[in-house]
Amino acid sequence: MSGSDTKAALVLSVDAMGGDEGPAPVVAGLALFLRGEPDVKILLHGDEATLAPMIAKRDLGHAVTIVHAPDVVAMTDKPSHVMRHGKTTSMWSAIDAVRTKEASVCVSCGNTGALMAVSMIRLRKAEGVNRPAIACLWPSRNAAGFNVMLDAGADIRADEEDLLTYAMMGASYARNGLGLKRPRVGLLNVGVEEHKGRAELKVAHELIARAAPKGEFEYVGFVEGGDLPSQRVDVVVTDGFTGNVALKTGEGTANLITDSLREAFAATVLSKMSALFAMSSLKRLRKKVDPRRVNGGVFLGLNGTVIKSHGSADATGVAAAVTLAAQLARSGFTDKLAARVASAASLAQDADIEDASSETAKDT
């Protein structure tokens, strides 16, 4: 890869080693992705002796440069251990390529906690961000086919200013990742009535409503769990504890429905015949809820973009995550997100000043 090619091409950084199945599905996914993206270059981080034969076998040498990193972050490794001893791992190397501007976006199938910890150390939080968030795509009835939900588990806590920041970041992601000019943002609560919910939710409700015009999104108010896949909203904002429980519940329910349908259609000869007649409809349903299509949680609120792919992702899932990385890189997402975060910080400060002024006026 020559210097001129590197300058002209979009460059993505990929951790080859962190997934459950090792580098094989990662390389296979890159092969799928690169068929439709001949101008993209990949920095592939991992053990060179392991990766070189895989790259040669698929004839990807023209687009993929191996960056040797001898060690691997295991799924069982604690983030604190990785932060102290992980400098020679493929994950650390992949993130550093974004830090040094050699690549625009990092993609990893590795340990989520370690990935977030190393990302925060190497990329640092963006100015105005207290707690970064993970944004995930949720299958929905909207035209785009997905809604954005955040936080999906980066931090179990979130106060009113964090939720305001999440709203701004989520709207920016929907705008750049889903192509929505004016995303609709909702705040997850136990009901849509304004008197319901914890104190920080009520304050966040007011802050997000004030921020909507400047943030160029529409605030629809409180939403409930049933709105996650609905047409009412494009972005659902919540804390990481609630978001992660919702995400795992949704995945578990989808798997239960899929398994139950499979068992029902295999129960008798008649049901097997019925399955044949319903095959096209079942394929459409499977495609709509296929988690591989929405593979890739985006870390928001850092000085760089990192995408977390499922650890068990196959080639299709890896290709989806890298495709998302390319889309966000081309949109200039990191710089746009930083501007939105700065807006959120200033809006929160303005609100604090207004509240202080109101209290002073009451006292005088």
Side-chain angles (χ1 to χ4, degrees):
M1 188 167 63
S2 69
S4 58
D5 289 337
T6 305
K7 186 177 181 179
L10 171 64
V11 181
L12 303 176
S13 179
V14 178
D15 172 11
M17 311 300 289
D20 294 341
E21 305 300 325
V26 176
V27 175
L30 290 177
L32 283 178
F33 166 77
L34 290 167
R35 287 178 192 171
E37 296 283 359
D39 297 327
V40 178
K41 303 299 181 184
I42 305 293
L43 297 180
L44 187 62
H45 304 259
D47 180 63
E48 187 170 11
T50 302
L51 296 175
M54 295 181 176
I55 298 302
K57 183 178 179 180
R58 294 182 179 273
D59 194 25
L60 300 178
H62 64 286
V64 177
T65 298
I66 298 171
V67 180
H68 180 61
D71 297 322
V72 179
V73 175
M75 289 296 181
T76 55
D77 286 345
K78 293 182 178 180
S80 57
H81 174 82
V82 177
M83 285 190 288
R84 289 195 301 269
H85 307 289
K87 292 183 180 180
T88 57
T89 64
S90 58
M91 178 184 288
W92 192 292
S93 179
I95 293 168
D96 259 6
V98 175
R99 181 175 181 266
T100 58
K101 308 298 183 184
E102 295 174 82
S104 299
V105 179
C106 170
V107 179
S108 175
C109 300
N111 179 320
T112 303
L115 186 64
M116 176 58 82
V118 176
S119 296
M120 288 180 64
I121 288 175
R122 304 308 292 160
L123 301 178
R124 301 294 181 182
K125 292 184 290 186
E127 186 176 354
V129 174
N130 182 33
R131 295 187 176 95
I134 300 175
C136 68
L137 295 177
W138 196 289
S140 78
R141 298 182 182 90
N142 279 324
F146 310 109
N147 289 338
V148 177
M149 185 192 75
L150 72 162
D151 177 22
D155 197 314
I156 62 172
R157 301 159 296 172
D159 62 19
E160 56 270 20
E161 293 186 10
D162 295 325
L163 294 170
L164 169 62
T165 302
Y166 294 172
M168 300 291 278
M169 294 194 301
S172 184
Y173 177 32
R175 191 176 295 110
N176 293 281
L178 299 180
L180 302 176
K181 291 184 178 179
R182 194 173 181 84
R184 297 164 299 166
V185 176
L187 182 60
L188 191 62
N189 200 355
V190 294
V192 298
E193 298 86 357
E194 293 193 4
H195 66 275
K196 288 190 174 181
R198 303 189 305 270
E200 64 268 25
L201 286 177
K202 296 176 183 178
V203 176
H205 173 68
E206 297 178 2
L207 289 176
I208 297 171
R210 293 183 200 174
K214 189 172 182 179
E216 298 178 3
F217 62 85
E218 178 185 345
Y219 181 53
V220 302
F222 288 133
V223 296
E224 299 178 282
D227 289 310
L228 283 166
S230 78
Q231 292 176 299
R232 185 185 170 210
V233 67
D234 302 303
V235 178
V236 177
V237 173
T238 188
D239 61 86
F241 181 90
T242 306
N244 192 262
V245 170
L247 178 64
K248 298 297 175 58
T249 302
E251 290 176 346
T253 303
N255 289 333
L256 173 63
I257 293 172
T258 300
D259 292 343
S260 299
L261 282 172
R262 187 181 296 112
E263 291 172 4
F265 279 119
T268 65
V269 174
L270 185 59
S271 62
K272 290 178 181 178
M273 293 177 62
S274 300
L276 290 174
F277 287 112
M279 188 62 68
S280 60
S281 296
L282 290 172
K283 285 182 178 179
R284 286 196 298 271
L285 174 62
R286 182 179 179 182
K287 182 178 180 181
K288 185 173 181 64
V289 300
D290 187 350
R292 299 178 302 174
R293 295 176 61 238
V294 295
N295 182 42
V298 182
F299 291 1
L300 303 178
L302 302 170
N303 292 308
T305 302
V306 177
I307 294 178
K308 168 64 175 76
S309 170
H310 284 301
S312 59
D314 61 6
T316 301
V318 171
V322 181
T323 298
L324 175 60
Q327 184 176 351
L328 293 178
R330 289 192 176 107
S331 73
F333 176 63
T334 299
D335 292 338
K336 291 177 180 178
L337 185 65
R340 298 296 174 186
V341 168
S343 296
S346 64
L347 286 164
Q349 290 174 357
D350 291 345
D352 290 340
I353 292 171
E354 288 179 15
D355 291 342
S357 298
S358 298
E359 290 299 321
T360 302
K362 289 178 184 178
D363 293 338
T364 55

